[in-house]
């Protein structure tokens, strides 16, 4: 059959655009119009690993679809399951890059943490992905496809919530993240409610404005990590470009409930004075505070805040009227913090090469 429908493939389009492309192709080939819906729902709503699995379609159509609308895959290179039920996936992409997702079950809720870039340019000192540097942006398919792959592996694992808190800075890859949000949220896409989708950012202001301009109620999490400009600069180089005051002003303009993410690092941001300053900022912005224990794998030179200090820090926020939650470190036994599985895999490979004498 005829030329390719789109250069990037149907899975890189919003569900509405993909349906249009399929509809045009169906019409061009004189096929019945109801085929459009049958085909389109196989992209995201009721995904198939290959068109051959869409057995409601005639065999000749399935063959034609393989050529016209190929269904790319992310290859699960490693899947690790933690004792607490957390699953961590390392996906190998077509060009050899690798990114991670983490599926965290909690009661009836299944939260999937997805990556938006391979690596990250922003170099926060506590973050394994930051140490890797920037490799490249992910495509819309590579972002939303992390959810698709989970569903293909086991439909019962379909996430109820998605957070853009894996590798990369989502708001530095806005065009692809923009499309991926539509795929996740649209009823004819993955159908995940906008309030159950959270974009996490260090405060890329132009991106925050673009997210705010979308009509859906997507959630925003801001990685604050320090309550004053100088303390923030010591751990997050992005503070030079988008400073705390400007980020907080953009957060207020967002006009939807936001969350502050705050990794507690021993001696760097965990004093009572830090808690008091953070409480003031959170009250001003009407923000919830998520306190994250430092995952040691991300930063060998830094020290996690001891549990008793974490509790005292959280209580101090609550006593000042701030809603604060201490996130449990999920999947500690499988290195489930962003970027760590990939770093570990590469270290293992280097060791294996050294052991086999390949580099000597
Ligand atoms: N770039 C975006 C989104 C990805 S990072 C951002 O920074 O917000 C997602 C979260 O992982 C951030 O809140 C970050 O603080 C957290 N994180 C990174 N390294 C960590 C570590 N070593 N321990 C605990 N949390 C970490
Ligand atoms: Fe990048 Fe986020 Fe890691 Fe900072 S915490 S280096 S912004 S991925």
């Amino acid at each position: 059959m005829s030329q390719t429908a789109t250069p990037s493939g149907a899975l890189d389009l919003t569900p509405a655009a993909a349906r249009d492309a399929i509809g045009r192709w169906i019409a061009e080939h004189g096929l019945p119009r109801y085929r459009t819906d049958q085909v389109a729902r196989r992209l995201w709503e009721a995904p198939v690993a290959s068109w051959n699995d869409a057995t409601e379609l005639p065999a000749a159509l399935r063959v034609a679809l393989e050529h016209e609308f190929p269904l790319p895959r992310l290859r699960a290179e490693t899947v690790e399951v933690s004792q607490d039920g957390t699953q961590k996936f390392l996906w190998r992409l077509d060009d050899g890059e690798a990114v991670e997702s983490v599926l965290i079950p909690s009661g009836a809720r299944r939260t999937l943490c997805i990556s938006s870039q391979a690596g990250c340019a922003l170099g926060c000192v506590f973050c394994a992905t930051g140490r890797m540097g920037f490799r490249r942006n992910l495509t819309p398919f590579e972002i939303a496809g992390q959810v698709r792959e989970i569903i293909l592996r086991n439909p019962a694992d379909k996430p109820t919530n998605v957070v853009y808190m894996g590798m990369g800075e989502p708001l530095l890859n806005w065009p692809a993240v923009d499309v991926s949000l539509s795929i996740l949220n649209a009823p004819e896409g993955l159908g995940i409610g906008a309030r159950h989708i959270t974009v996490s950012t260090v405060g890329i202001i132009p991106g925050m404005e673009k997210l705010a301009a979308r009509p859906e109620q997507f959630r925003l999490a801001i990685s604050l990590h320090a309550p004053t400009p100088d303390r923030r600069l010591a751990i997050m180089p992005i503070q030079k470009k988008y400073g705390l005051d400007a980020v907080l002003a953009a957060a207020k303009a967002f006009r939807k409930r936001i969350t502050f993410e705050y990794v507690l690092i021993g001696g760097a941001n965990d004093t009572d004075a830090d808690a008091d300053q953070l409480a003031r900022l959170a009250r001003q912005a009407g923000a919830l505070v998520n306190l994250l224990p430092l995952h040691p794998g991300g930063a060998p030179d830094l020290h996690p805040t001891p549990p008793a200090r974490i509790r005292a820090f959280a209580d101090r926020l609550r006593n000042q009227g701030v809603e604060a939650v201490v996130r449990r470190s999920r999947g500690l036994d499988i290195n489930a913090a962003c970027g760590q599985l990939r770093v570990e895999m590469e270290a293992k490979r280097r060791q294996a090469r050294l052991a086999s004498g390949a580099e000597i």
Side-chain angles (χ1 to χ4, degrees):
M1 294 192 184
S2 70
Q3 85 277 15
T4 314
T6 60
S8 53
L11 292 176
D12 273 319
L13 303 175
T14 64
R19 194 184 177 286
D20 285 351
I22 291 165
R24 278 195 306 275
W25 182 82
I26 294 279
E28 273 166 26
H29 291 83
L31 296 167
R33 274 169 63 168
Y34 66 84
R35 293 285 185 218
T36 300
D37 284 333
Q38 278 185 319
V39 171
R41 65 193 291 279
R42 289 310 200 169
L43 298 178
W44 299 103
E45 222 180 321
V48 279
S50 83
W51 287 112
N52 203 33
D53 295 344
T55 49
E56 73 281 15
L57 302 174
L61 177 54
R62 285 185 260 154
V63 172
L65 287 168
E66 287 293 353
H67 291 105
E68 206 62 27
F69 299 103
L71 296 176
R73 301 289 306 274
L74 306 176
R75 201 162 53 74
E77 182 156 299
T78 42
V79 181
E80 295 188 358
V81 184
S82 169
Q83 281 168 3
D84 64 15
T86 303
Q87 295 180 59
K88 178 137 186 169
F89 303 85
L90 183 71
W91 310 109
R92 185 64 61 183
L93 309 178
D94 276 351
D95 64 349
E97 286 297 340
V99 295
E100 304 174 18
S101 315
V102 186
L103 184 64
I104 306 161
S106 172
R109 194 191 278 203
R110 289 174 303 282
T111 302
L112 185 68
C113 174
I114 59 173
S115 296
S116 56
Q117 299 181 314
C120 180
L122 300 185
C124 303
V125 297
F126 47 82
C127 174
T129 307
R131 278 214 305 282
M132 195 182 295
F134 178 69
R135 311 297 287 254
R136 71 170 171 84
N137 280 327
L138 300 191
T139 64
F141 158 68
E142 288 168 336
I143 299 171
Q146 296 164 54
V147 189
R148 193 176 193 272
E149 289 296 333
I150 303 285
I151 300 169
L152 288 177
R153 296 172 70 83
N154 179 4
D157 275 348
K158 181 177 174 183
T160 57
N161 296 61
V162 174
V163 294
Y164 287 71
M165 292 186 188
M167 295 166 73
E169 169 49 55
L171 297 185
L172 287 179
N173 183 16
W174 176 252
V177 166
D178 191 25
V179 174
S180 72
L181 285 168
S182 296
I183 297 172
L184 261 50
N185 175 240
E188 68 278 22
L190 291 165
I192 299 170
R195 288 187 174 83
H196 295 162
I197 299 172
T198 302
V199 176
S200 177
T201 181
V202 291
I204 306 298
I205 291 171
M208 289 167 71
E209 289 166 356
K210 288 180 183 135
L211 181 64
R214 287 200 54 148
E216 305 91 337
Q217 298 284 318
F218 295 119
R219 302 278 181 192
L220 178 67
I222 297 179
S223 288
L224 212 66
H225 304 318
T228 62
D230 55 330
R231 268 164 127 57
R232 199 165 190 256
L233 186 60
I235 53 176
M236 300 171 76
I238 192 67
Q239 168 67 24
K240 280 197 280 273
K241 181 151 189 197
Y242 298 115
L244 197 54
D245 290 346
V247 172
L248 292 168
K252 268 184 212 141
F254 196 70
R255 278 201 297 268
K256 294 165 202 160
R257 199 83 204 261
I258 56 165
T259 304
F260 288 159
E261 304 286 312
Y262 198 98
V263 175
L264 281 161
I265 307 170
N269 63 1
D270 63 351
T271 64
D272 283 349
D274 291 325
D276 293 347
Q277 271 159 331
L278 176 60
R280 196 170 45 80
L281 299 181
R283 276 203 318 269
Q284 279 168 6
L288 314 174
V289 176
N290 266 340
L291 297 173
L292 313 163
L294 176 74
H295 194 294
D301 310 333
L302 302 175
H303 302 289
T305 298
R309 176 96 282 270
I310 294 182
R311 281 195 298 276
F313 195 95
D315 286 342
R316 216 171 160 93
L317 294 176
R318 292 186 194 117
N319 289 339
Q320 297 178 60
V322 173
E323 219 175 304
V325 179
V326 180
R327 292 278 160 219
R328 274 185 297 156
S329 253
R330 298 294 300 262
L332 266 182
D333 53 326
I334 56 165
N335 280 336
C338 80
Q340 295 198 32
L341 189 62
R342 177 175 164 161
V343 167
E344 190 182 85
M345 288 281 301
E346 286 173 359
K348 269 188 197 150
R349 258 198 227 126
R350 263 195 309 277
Q351 268 168 13
R353 274 203 305 269
L354 279 174
S356 69
E359 288 185 346
I360 300 169

